[in-house]
Amino acid sequence: MNFKENFRLQSIELNEKRVIRDAIHDYIHVDHLIIWRLINSKEMQRLRRIKQLGGTYQVFQSAEHSRFVHSLGVYQVVRRMLETECLTNALSDYDKLCVMCAGLLHDIGHGPFSHSFEGVFEENHEDMTVRMILEESEVHDILVSLYKQLPQDVASIIQHTHPNRILIQMVSSQLDADRMDYLLRDSYMSGTTYGHFDMSRILRTMRIRDGKIVYKESGVQAIENYILARYHMYWQVYYHPTARSYEHLLQSIFQRVKDLYYDGYVFQTHLHYLIPMLEHRFQVSDFVDLDEAVILYYFKEFTREKDFILSDLSSRFLNRHLFKYQQLKSQKDLVSIKAIAQTKGYHPDYYIVSDNQKQIPYLHYGESGELSEIEILDSEGCLSPLPMKSEIVSAILNSKRFKSDQKVFFPKEIKDELSIF
């Protein structure tokens, strides 16, 4: 008997269906026992202790929501997609289960403070997510308990290797459940309106053609609003310079810990939870033990370290004495700023940071049917890339003037010295 072909979602339904109240989706519905078990797994519950927006709450004070609630939201958007008429009949019950699991689990590999942690310890969260699904973990055991191939099939959606392109598009594309949830959720939780768009309208215009998700021409305006919402959220919220300052301070602390450890420095605090990461020999269980509560404990202890740089950076972080910033006009200016910091006793490798943020609103790959392309279905049944149907998106691409912002971050104590730049 072929498990996938004979599998029926009704066979794993909960005796009593569960609902979870949510600020964005009102109710999140859980119909199946395996989804409920995954939600309550150690790896998923850990996400309650990982902030969704890293340092953004330093600017938008109410944006303290977790990756756990976002993951539930992505699952719910996937579930709503599956309820649309075009997808209800286009996917098998087994594929529906796989994509619901992938939506729920897509972020379990995020480390403490997310991208700041990734940058220093060189661990990609998608790779870590796949490891948690495929290697020894509660999530793996739950998936295997239903079907031994289920972990591989779920992981392949996240890895973009699943043979059914529709499942990949639902979780990871230019118009996917992940982005739709985080735009609406992050906008709401930050108290802004930049991320608002009509998700219901977009879902209503979804269609399936040639084995992929496309959208009716009547949905173009809603998609335009979505693209602009994403653009404004990046520049007004995600790339806010104060949030970037917080992230850079975090990275400087992590980098200092890493450098001291490799130099043989004797820490007063035992780095039990960090050593597997520092030595690149960690198991999934080591990674699951790391959350923001653990890291914040270490930062508190680091304020008492004999190393001035680590102690000072940790104190700045905990007490919100963030780096100041200004526009960086040239690399020559950066060299001069580092020299000034050096003369004032601030090691430039940790106290002077520059970054150049860029954001391209839409990625266009022509008419080759690439997975990332948003395609529009006209009344005659013909498909066209979104830029051919949207004057707004076409104008953005044709202008080729994608916004960028280069800043330099530094201790507030040397701000007056930098007035000449």
Side-chain angles (χ1 to χ4, degrees):
M1 179 181 292
N2 188 311
F3 179 88
K4 294 183 181 180
E5 292 180 0
N6 290 277
F7 174 75
R8 294 292 178 267
L9 278 172
Q10 292 89 337
S11 66
I12 58 168
E13 285 186 350
L14 287 161
N15 292 330
E16 182 179 349
K17 297 181 181 182
R18 310 297 175 91
V19 292
I20 303 169
R21 284 302 295 259
D22 183 67
I24 305 303
H25 305 296
D26 192 16
Y27 283 106
I28 293 173
H29 296 262
V30 182
D31 303 322
H32 305 103
L33 177 61
I34 189 170
I35 297 296
W36 188 247
R37 291 182 66 196
L38 288 172
I39 289 172
N40 288 286
S41 67
K42 180 189 298 184
E43 292 79 20
M44 273 295 298
Q45 291 297 313
R46 169 183 170 274
L47 295 185
R48 291 182 183 271
R49 305 185 297 278
I50 306 288
K51 284 190 177 66
Q52 168 71 8
L53 289 183
T56 305
Y57 78 102
Q58 295 285 336
V59 187
F60 303 94
Q61 308 302 325
S62 60
E64 295 204 13
H65 55 301
S66 69
R67 289 202 175 269
F68 178 79
V69 296
H70 164 62
S71 297
L72 290 180
V74 175
Y75 155 77
Q76 178 63 14
V77 176
V78 167
R79 191 177 175 280
R80 285 189 61 183
M81 288 179 170
L82 293 173
E83 291 175 345
T84 60
E85 184 178 349
C86 67
L87 283 180
T88 296
N89 301 316
L91 300 175
S92 69
D93 276 7
Y94 182 77
D95 280 348
K96 290 176 183 178
L97 175 64
C98 285
V99 75
M100 283 191 290
C101 291
L104 180 67
L105 301 174
H106 79 287
D107 263 356
I108 57 172
H110 269 286
F113 304 104
S114 299
H115 301 294
S116 296
F117 187 86
E118 280 186 62
V120 175
F121 291 99
E122 302 171 359
E123 296 298 334
N124 180 277
H125 72 273
E126 288 188 357
D127 293 340
M128 196 63 230
T129 294
V130 170
R131 284 191 61 182
M132 287 189 181
I133 292 171
L134 296 181
E135 297 180 19
E136 186 175 344
S137 67
E138 284 189 19
V139 160
H140 178 81
D141 291 344
I142 292 167
L143 295 173
V144 166
S145 70
L146 182 65
Y147 178 51
K148 66 178 181 180
Q149 185 65 29
L150 187 54
Q152 286 78 12
D153 291 333
V154 172
S156 69
I157 297 174
I158 295 169
Q159 292 175 302
H160 305 175
T161 59
H162 196 284
N164 191 332
R165 298 173 62 191
I166 293 173
L167 307 185
I168 300 172
Q169 279 184 282
M170 291 172 69
V171 177
S172 182
S173 63
Q174 288 205 85
L175 185 49
D176 58 29
D178 180 23
R179 296 186 185 195
M180 285 195 274
D181 181 79
Y182 77 58
L183 287 177
L184 294 172
R185 188 173 303 280
D186 296 348
S187 179
Y188 176 84
M189 296 305 296
S190 62
T192 66
T193 59
Y194 307 116
H196 290 188
F197 66 94
D198 192 347
M199 183 175 73
S200 295
R201 180 62 180 165
I202 291 175
L203 296 184
R204 281 178 57 83
T205 61
M206 284 175 55
R207 295 294 184 269
I208 302 298
R209 286 291 185 278
D210 303 331
K212 58 190 173 185
I213 296 174
V214 299
Y215 298 87
K216 289 179 62 178
E217 194 166 3
S218 58
V220 166
Q221 186 176 37
I223 295 172
E224 289 173 340
N225 289 338
Y226 158 85
I227 290 171
L228 292 175
R230 186 168 179 268
Y231 175 80
H232 291 305
M233 278 295 288
Y234 268 86
W235 285 113
Q236 298 298 322
V237 178
Y238 304 141
Y239 289 166
H240 192 288
T242 302
R244 285 155 64 186
S245 173
Y246 177 93
E247 300 286 344
H248 288 313
L249 187 52
L250 265 172
Q251 288 183 318
S252 289
I253 296 172
F254 287 142
Q255 189 61 53
R256 186 58 177 172
V257 170
K258 191 175 178 180
D259 292 345
L260 288 172
Y261 185 80
Y262 292 161
D263 287 344
Y265 174 83
V266 179
F267 288 84
Q268 295 184 50
T269 302
H270 192 276
L271 305 183
H272 171 75
Y273 292 103
L274 288 177
I275 287 174
M277 301 298 299
L278 291 165
E279 297 184 353
H280 297 285
R281 56 170 179 78
F282 64 95
Q283 304 298 317
V284 166
S285 59
D286 297 318
F287 193 86
V288 173
D289 282 341
L290 280 174
D291 57 35
E292 289 175 13
V294 170
I295 299 300
L296 287 172
Y297 165 77
Y298 277 131
F299 285 0
K300 187 70 174 179
E301 293 297 300
F302 290 160
T303 62
R304 302 181 179 91
E305 283 290 341
K306 294 178 180 179
D307 179 75
F308 171 78
I309 295 175
L310 181 57
S311 174
D312 180 59
L313 291 173
S314 300
S315 179
R316 288 172 186 267
F317 177 85
L318 292 175
N319 297 303
R320 201 181 179 275
H321 297 157
L322 306 181
F323 291 157
K324 297 296 181 181
Y325 55 85
Q326 64 185 38
Q327 294 298 129
L328 182 61
K329 299 175 183 178
S330 69
Q331 289 303 305
K332 182 179 178 180
D333 286 348
L334 179 60
V335 172
S336 299
I337 291 169
K338 287 185 174 182
I340 291 172
Q342 187 89 52
T343 61
K344 295 294 181 180
Y346 296 101
H347 196 305
D349 288 353
Y350 305 101
Y351 287 92
I352 306 299
V353 185
S354 68
D355 75 356
N356 186 18
Q357 296 293 345
K358 298 179 180 179
Q359 207 273 324
I360 300 175
Y362 182 79
L363 297 174
H364 179 45
Y365 296 103
E367 300 180 48
S368 60
E370 292 285 348
L371 184 63
S372 291
E373 186 77 75
I374 298 174
E375 294 187 88
I376 304 302
L377 180 69
D378 64 25
S379 58
E380 297 180 355
C382 297
L383 289 176
S384 303
L386 177 62
M388 292 184 64
K389 294 295 184 179
S390 167
E391 293 181 3
I392 292 176
V393 175
S394 178
I396 291 172
L397 291 173
N398 289 334
S399 72
K400 297 182 180 179
R401 295 172 58 189
F402 302 126
K403 184 176 178 180
S404 64
D405 181 43
Q406 189 163 13
K407 283 185 166 58
V408 58
F409 297 82
F410 49 84
K412 63 180 180 180
E413 291 84 353
I414 66 171
K415 189 177 190 320
D416 291 342
E417 303 289 332
L418 306 185
S419 59
I420 60 173
F421 296 101

